[in-house]
């Protein structure tokens, strides 16, 4: 049985897990003070969307040279959103090395400022890194790669930097009721590497670390699985169903051919995995995911809408709440038109052959 997790934020509490509405997360981030302004403008436009397409979570993935703290601005100025961060992105990296004291200080600051959950990458280790060499592409996680580089630069003589400070993070998170999301350092970057020995080993380690954190009084979210074909997603689900924690998949992207259209492929992948009861937060993916371009405001909004549709379809299966669909269908029937909100019958598309207005005697 999957445990429910409570996400505390400025406006209250939202729960994820069994019998809870599927939430939608939007990824944002800045690399400079100017970029913070641009990101806030994007969030302002997102906040003005119709309620049907409002996301629930804003994830700040700002990099180290941003000193304007985008997540603080979001918490203060957009209180309707849950805010999450990835602390290691803010660390100074010297010759590939991460200062564990700096990482802990950044993590503590972000938690104390009121983020609802943080993402960490404690699963990276020498053994799985060796396994990953058999893949077409060893790894695709930015946060995971930072941790792996630190391990490598230390000659594999020290533990993962997050493992070294994990107990300290747990104590801070428990004090502030902050959730810890366990990132997938070895999520697959293509459908062919999915469900290999590397990913299965990480699933096992994610479960072990999740249990360790949960037993010490902190709630957990699990991330993954990356790219995975529809058939392999069924195998992914078997592992997730045994873990007992809410799932926030990155994607999943079920085909590598949808270049420039990954807002569609990821929504389809999320729906497939969601129908297997393994999606509690849908992460919106833009069409630029594999083009190397920075998503525009319009593209981000397009991705949100695709993710919200996926989340709604997942909830039709999970919650069996058809009330919104019923309202639209009944309106169309009452007004004899396919167009919701149109007060007169018919439309220009079907014109005089509209089946909804046809008087057919039975």
């Amino acid at each position: 049985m999957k445990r429910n997790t409570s996400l505390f934020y400025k406006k209250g509490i939202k729960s994820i897990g069994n019998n809870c509405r599927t939430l939608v997360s939007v990824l944002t981030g800045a690399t400079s003070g100017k970029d913070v302004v641009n990101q806030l403008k994007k969030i302002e436009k997102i906040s003005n969307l119709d309620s049907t397409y409002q996301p629930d979570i804003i994830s700040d993935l700002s990099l180290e040279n941003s000193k304007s703290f985008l997540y603080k601005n979001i918490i203060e100025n957009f209180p309707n959103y849950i805010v999450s961060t990835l602390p290691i992105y803010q660390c100074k990296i010297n010759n590939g090395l991460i200062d564990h004291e700096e990482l802990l200080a950044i993590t503590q600051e972000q938690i104390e400022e009121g983020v609802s959950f943080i993402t960490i990458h404690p699963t990276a280790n020498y053994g799985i890194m060796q396994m990953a060499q058999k893949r077409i592409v060893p790894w695709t996680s930015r946060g995971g790669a930072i941790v792996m580089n630190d391990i490598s630069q230390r000659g594999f003589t020290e533990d993962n930097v997050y493992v070294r400070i994990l107990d300290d993070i747990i104590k801070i998170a428990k004090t502030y009721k902050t959730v810890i999301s366990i990132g997938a350092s070895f999520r697959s970057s293509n459908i062919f590497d999915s469900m290999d020995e590397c990913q299965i080993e990480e699933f096992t380690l994610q479960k072990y670390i999740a249990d360790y954190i949960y037993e010490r009084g902190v709630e957990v979210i699990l991330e993954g699985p990356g790219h995975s074909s529809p058939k392999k997603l069924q195998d992914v689900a078997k592992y997730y169903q045994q873990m007992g924690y809410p799932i926030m998949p990155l994607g999943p992207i079920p085909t590598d051919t949808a270049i420039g259209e990954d807002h569609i492929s990821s929504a389809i992948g999320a729906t497939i995995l969601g129908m297997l009861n393994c999606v509690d937060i849908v992460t919106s993916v833009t069409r630029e995911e594999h083009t190397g371009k920075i998503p525009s405001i319009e593209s981000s909004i397009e991705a949100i809408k695709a993710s919200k549709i996926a989340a709604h379809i997942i909830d039709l299966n999970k919650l069996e709440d058809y009330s919104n669909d019923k309202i639209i269908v009944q309106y169309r029937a009452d007004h004899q038109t396919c167009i919701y909100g149109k007060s007169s019958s018919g439309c220009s598309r079907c014109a005089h052959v509209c089946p909804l207005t046809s008087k057919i005697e039975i």
Side-chain angles (χ1 to χ4, degrees):
M1 177 65 71
K2 186 189 298 180
R3 300 175 179 89
N4 287 359
T5 291
S6 297
L7 296 171
F8 292 82
Y9 67 114
K10 199 163 186 178
K11 274 294 185 75
I13 305 171
K14 285 187 180 179
S15 296
I16 53 175
N18 288 321
N19 301 315
C20 298
R21 188 172 63 84
T22 304
L23 305 186
V24 169
S25 173
V26 178
L27 305 181
T28 187
T31 56
S32 66
K34 181 180 179 182
D35 200 19
V36 168
V37 174
N38 293 334
Q39 293 300 315
L40 289 172
K41 286 181 180 178
K42 178 172 77 173
I43 296 168
E44 177 70 40
K45 285 201 172 184
I46 290 172
S47 71
N48 291 325
L49 289 173
D50 181 88
S51 59
T52 303
Y53 295 114
Q54 275 297 318
D56 306 280
I57 302 167
I58 305 288
S59 297
D60 178 14
L61 307 184
S62 294
L63 300 177
E64 60 166 307
N65 55 346
S66 169
K67 300 302 180 184
S68 299
F69 300 111
L70 178 60
Y71 74 92
K72 292 184 182 180
N73 280 278
I74 302 170
I75 291 171
E76 181 63 29
N77 299 309
F78 300 93
N80 288 330
Y81 296 127
I82 295 164
V83 179
S84 75
T85 54
L86 206 158
I88 206 165
Y89 282 177
Q90 292 287 316
C91 283
K92 298 182 183 69
I93 302 173
N94 297 312
N95 297 318
L97 297 175
I98 297 296
D99 184 329
H100 72 275
E101 291 183 354
E102 181 193 15
L103 177 57
L104 181 60
I106 290 170
T107 302
Q108 181 167 351
E109 179 182 16
Q110 293 181 354
I111 289 174
E112 289 178 347
E113 288 291 337
V115 300
S116 298
F117 67 93
I118 58 165
T119 296
I120 66 174
H121 291 82
T123 59
N125 62 44
Y126 177 66
I128 307 182
M129 289 169 69
Q130 280 188 311
M131 291 180 190
Q133 300 311 303
K134 300 175 184 177
R135 291 177 152 188
I136 299 172
V137 180
W139 40 70
T140 189
S141 166
R142 289 187 300 180
I146 293 171
V147 173
M148 285 183 265
N149 197 33
D150 178 76
I151 295 172
S152 176
Q153 291 300 315
R154 296 178 189 277
F156 301 98
T157 60
E158 295 186 47
D159 283 335
N160 177 310
V161 64
Y162 272 118
V163 172
R164 282 183 268 146
I165 61 174
L166 184 58
D167 286 334
D168 294 312
I169 292 175
I170 292 171
K171 289 177 183 176
I172 300 166
K174 184 176 180 179
T175 299
Y176 290 88
K177 297 182 179 179
T178 306
V179 174
I180 296 177
S181 176
I182 303 177
S185 295
F186 299 96
R187 66 180 186 268
S188 50
S189 67
N190 58 79
I191 63 173
F192 304 102
D193 289 331
S194 176
M195 289 304 297
D196 63 350
E197 62 174 354
C198 178
Q199 189 163 41
I200 292 172
E201 181 64 23
E202 181 168 56
F203 284 156
T204 302
L205 193 50
Q206 278 184 307
K207 175 68 164 66
Y208 173 82
I209 295 171
D211 288 344
Y212 182 89
I213 294 170
Y214 185 79
E215 287 165 3
R216 283 153 183 78
V218 176
E219 296 190 58
V220 176
I221 296 171
L222 299 179
E223 291 188 6
H227 296 227
S228 190
S229 67
K231 189 171 183 63
K232 285 186 178 179
L233 281 175
Q234 297 177 47
D235 297 323
V236 168
K238 291 176 183 177
Y239 280 88
Y240 280 159
Q241 288 163 356
Q242 295 171 8
M243 291 188 184
Y245 298 97
I247 307 296
M248 181 172 68
L250 305 177
I253 292 178
T255 174
D256 293 308
T257 64
I259 300 169
E261 305 295 340
D262 276 320
H263 62 300
I264 297 173
S265 63
S266 64
I268 292 171
T271 303
I272 293 171
L273 194 58
M275 296 296 285
L276 298 169
N277 195 31
C278 293
V279 176
D280 299 288
I281 299 174
V282 176
T283 302
S284 67
V285 176
T286 67
R287 61 169 61 243
E288 289 87 0
E289 179 72 9
H290 295 100
T291 67
K293 298 178 182 178
I294 297 174
S296 65
I297 292 175
E298 292 72 23
S299 178
S300 295
I301 290 174
E302 173 185 62
I304 291 168
K305 290 182 176 180
S307 297
K308 289 290 288 189
I309 293 169
H312 179 67
I313 294 170
I314 292 168
D315 286 346
L316 289 180
N317 181 64
K318 179 165 66 171
L319 305 179
E320 295 192 60
D321 179 3
Y322 302 98
S323 56
N324 289 333
D325 290 75
K326 181 65 175 179
I327 290 169
I328 292 172
V329 170
Q330 194 59 55
Y331 186 97
R332 289 171 173 168
D334 293 343
H335 293 83
Q336 294 182 303
T337 178
C338 289
I339 304 171
Y340 182 66
K342 187 175 182 288
S343 58
S344 57
S345 62
C347 69
S348 57
R349 181 178 182 182
C350 292
H352 63 284
V353 294
C354 172
L356 275 66
T357 61
S358 298
K359 296 180 179 179
I360 302 172
E361 294 184 6
I362 300 297

CSV table of all heavy atoms in Angstrom, one decimal, residues 76-94:
chain,number,residue,atom,x,y,z
A,76,GLU,N,7.2,34.0,-1.7
A,76,GLU,CA,6.7,35.2,-1.2
A,76,GLU,C,5.6,35.8,-2.1
A,76,GLU,O,4.5,36.2,-1.6
A,76,GLU,CB,7.8,36.3,-1.1
A,76,GLU,CG,7.4,37.6,-0.6
A,76,GLU,CD,6.9,37.6,0.8
A,76,GLU,OE1,7.3,36.7,1.6
A,76,GLU,OE2,6.0,38.4,1.2
A,77,ASN,N,5.8,35.7,-3.4
A,77,ASN,CA,4.9,36.4,-4.4
A,77,ASN,C,3.8,35.5,-5.0
A,77,ASN,O,2.8,36.0,-5.6
A,77,ASN,CB,5.7,37.1,-5.5
A,77,ASN,CG,6.6,38.2,-4.9
A,77,ASN,OD1,6.2,39.0,-4.1
A,77,ASN,ND2,7.9,38.1,-5.3
A,78,PHE,N,4.0,34.2,-4.9
A,78,PHE,CA,3.1,33.3,-5.5
A,78,PHE,C,2.7,32.2,-4.5
A,78,PHE,O,3.1,31.0,-4.7
A,78,PHE,CB,3.6,32.6,-6.8
A,78,PHE,CG,4.0,33.6,-7.9
A,78,PHE,CD1,5.3,34.2,-8.0
A,78,PHE,CD2,3.0,34.1,-8.8
A,78,PHE,CE1,5.6,35.1,-8.9
A,78,PHE,CE2,3.3,35.0,-9.7
A,78,PHE,CZ,4.6,35.5,-9.8
A,79,PRO,N,2.0,32.5,-3.4
A,79,PRO,CA,1.8,31.6,-2.3
A,79,PRO,C,0.9,30.4,-2.7
A,79,PRO,O,0.8,29.5,-1.9
A,79,PRO,CB,1.1,32.5,-1.3
A,79,PRO,CG,0.5,33.6,-2.0
A,79,PRO,CD,1.4,33.9,-3.2
A,80,ASN,N,0.2,30.5,-3.8
A,80,ASN,CA,-0.7,29.4,-4.2
A,80,ASN,C,0.1,28.1,-4.6
A,80,ASN,O,-0.5,27.1,-4.7
A,80,ASN,CB,-1.6,29.8,-5.3
A,80,ASN,CG,-2.7,30.7,-4.8
A,80,ASN,OD1,-3.1,30.7,-3.6
A,80,ASN,ND2,-3.2,31.6,-5.7
A,81,TYR,N,1.4,28.3,-4.9
A,81,TYR,CA,2.2,27.2,-5.4
A,81,TYR,C,3.0,26.5,-4.3
A,81,TYR,O,3.6,27.2,-3.5
A,81,TYR,CB,3.1,27.7,-6.5
A,81,TYR,CG,2.3,28.2,-7.7
A,81,TYR,CD1,2.6,29.4,-8.3
A,81,TYR,CD2,1.3,27.4,-8.4
A,81,TYR,CE1,1.9,29.9,-9.4
A,81,TYR,CE2,0.7,27.9,-9.5
A,81,TYR,CZ,0.9,29.1,-10.0
A,81,TYR,OH,0.3,29.6,-11.1
A,82,ILE,N,3.1,25.2,-4.4
A,82,ILE,CA,4.1,24.5,-3.7
A,82,ILE,C,5.5,24.7,-4.4
A,82,ILE,O,5.5,24.8,-5.6
A,82,ILE,CB,3.8,23.0,-3.7
A,82,ILE,CG1,2.5,22.7,-3.0
A,82,ILE,CG2,4.9,22.1,-3.2
A,82,ILE,CD1,1.8,21.3,-3.3
A,83,VAL,N,6.5,24.9,-3.6
A,83,VAL,CA,7.8,25.2,-4.2
A,83,VAL,C,8.8,24.1,-3.8
A,83,VAL,O,8.9,23.7,-2.6
A,83,VAL,CB,8.3,26.6,-3.7
A,83,VAL,CG1,9.7,26.9,-4.3
A,83,VAL,CG2,7.4,27.7,-4.1
A,84,SER,N,9.6,23.6,-4.7
A,84,SER,CA,10.7,22.7,-4.4
A,84,SER,C,12.0,23.2,-5.0
A,84,SER,O,12.0,24.0,-5.9
A,84,SER,CB,10.3,21.3,-5.0
A,84,SER,OG,10.5,21.3,-6.4
A,85,THR,N,13.1,22.6,-4.5
A,85,THR,CA,14.4,23.0,-5.0
A,85,THR,C,15.3,21.8,-5.1
A,85,THR,O,15.0,20.7,-4.6
A,85,THR,CB,15.1,24.0,-4.0
A,85,THR,OG1,15.1,23.5,-2.7
A,85,THR,CG2,14.3,25.4,-4.0
A,86,LEU,N,16.5,22.0,-5.7
A,86,LEU,CA,17.5,21.1,-5.8
A,86,LEU,C,18.8,21.7,-5.3
A,86,LEU,O,19.5,22.4,-6.1
A,86,LEU,CB,17.7,20.6,-7.3
A,86,LEU,CG,18.2,19.2,-7.5
A,86,LEU,CD1,17.9,18.7,-8.9
A,86,LEU,CD2,19.7,19.2,-7.3
A,87,PRO,N,19.1,21.6,-4.0
A,87,PRO,CA,20.2,22.4,-3.4
A,87,PRO,C,21.5,22.3,-4.0
A,87,PRO,O,22.3,23.3,-4.0
A,87,PRO,CB,20.2,21.8,-2.0
A,87,PRO,CG,18.8,21.2,-1.7
A,87,PRO,CD,18.4,20.7,-3.1
A,88,ILE,N,21.9,21.1,-4.6
A,88,ILE,CA,23.3,21.0,-5.0
A,88,ILE,C,23.6,21.9,-6.2
A,88,ILE,O,24.8,22.3,-6.5
A,88,ILE,CB,23.6,19.5,-5.4
A,88,ILE,CG1,25.1,19.3,-5.3
A,88,ILE,CG2,23.1,19.2,-6.8
A,88,ILE,CD1,25.5,17.8,-5.3
A,89,TYR,N,22.5,22.4,-6.9
A,89,TYR,CA,22.8,23.3,-8.0
A,89,TYR,C,23.3,24.6,-7.6
A,89,TYR,O,23.9,25.4,-8.4
A,89,TYR,CB,21.4,23.5,-8.8
A,89,TYR,CG,21.0,22.4,-9.7
A,89,TYR,CD1,19.8,22.5,-10.4
A,89,TYR,CD2,21.8,21.3,-10.0
A,89,TYR,CE1,19.4,21.5,-11.3
A,89,TYR,CE2,21.4,20.3,-10.8
A,89,TYR,CZ,20.2,20.4,-11.5
A,89,TYR,OH,19.8,19.4,-12.4
A,90,GLN,N,23.1,25.0,-6.3
A,90,GLN,CA,23.6,26.3,-5.8
A,90,GLN,C,25.0,26.2,-5.3
A,90,GLN,O,25.6,27.2,-4.9
A,90,GLN,CB,22.6,26.8,-4.7
A,90,GLN,CG,21.2,27.1,-5.2
A,90,GLN,CD,21.2,28.5,-6.0
A,90,GLN,OE1,21.9,29.4,-5.6
A,90,GLN,NE2,20.5,28.5,-7.1
A,91,CYS,N,25.6,25.0,-5.2
A,91,CYS,CA,26.9,24.9,-4.7
A,91,CYS,C,28.0,25.3,-5.6
A,91,CYS,O,27.9,25.2,-6.8
A,91,CYS,CB,27.2,23.4,-4.3
A,91,CYS,SG,26.4,22.8,-2.8
A,92,LYS,N,29.1,25.9,-5.1
A,92,LYS,CA,30.3,26.2,-5.9
A,92,LYS,C,31.0,24.9,-6.1
A,92,LYS,O,31.3,24.1,-5.2
A,92,LYS,CB,31.2,27.1,-5.1
A,92,LYS,CG,30.6,28.5,-4.8
A,92,LYS,CD,31.6,29.4,-4.1
A,92,LYS,CE,31.0,30.7,-3.8
A,92,LYS,NZ,29.9,30.6,-2.7
A,93,ILE,N,31.4,24.6,-7.4
A,93,ILE,CA,32.1,23.4,-7.7
A,93,ILE,C,33.5,23.7,-8.0
A,93,ILE,O,33.8,24.4,-9.0
A,93,ILE,CB,31.4,22.7,-8.9
A,93,ILE,CG1,29.9,22.4,-8.6
A,93,ILE,CG2,32.1,21.4,-9.2
A,93,ILE,CD1,29.1,21.8,-9.7
A,94,ASN,N,34.4,23.2,-7.2
A,94,ASN,CA,35.8,23.5,-7.4
A,94,ASN,C,36.6,22.2,-7.8
A,94,ASN,O,36.7,21.3,-7.0
A,94,ASN,CB,36.4,24.0,-6.0
A,94,ASN,CG,35.8,25.3,-5.6
A,94,ASN,OD1,35.7,26.3,-6.4
A,94,ASN,ND2,35.4,25.4,-4.4
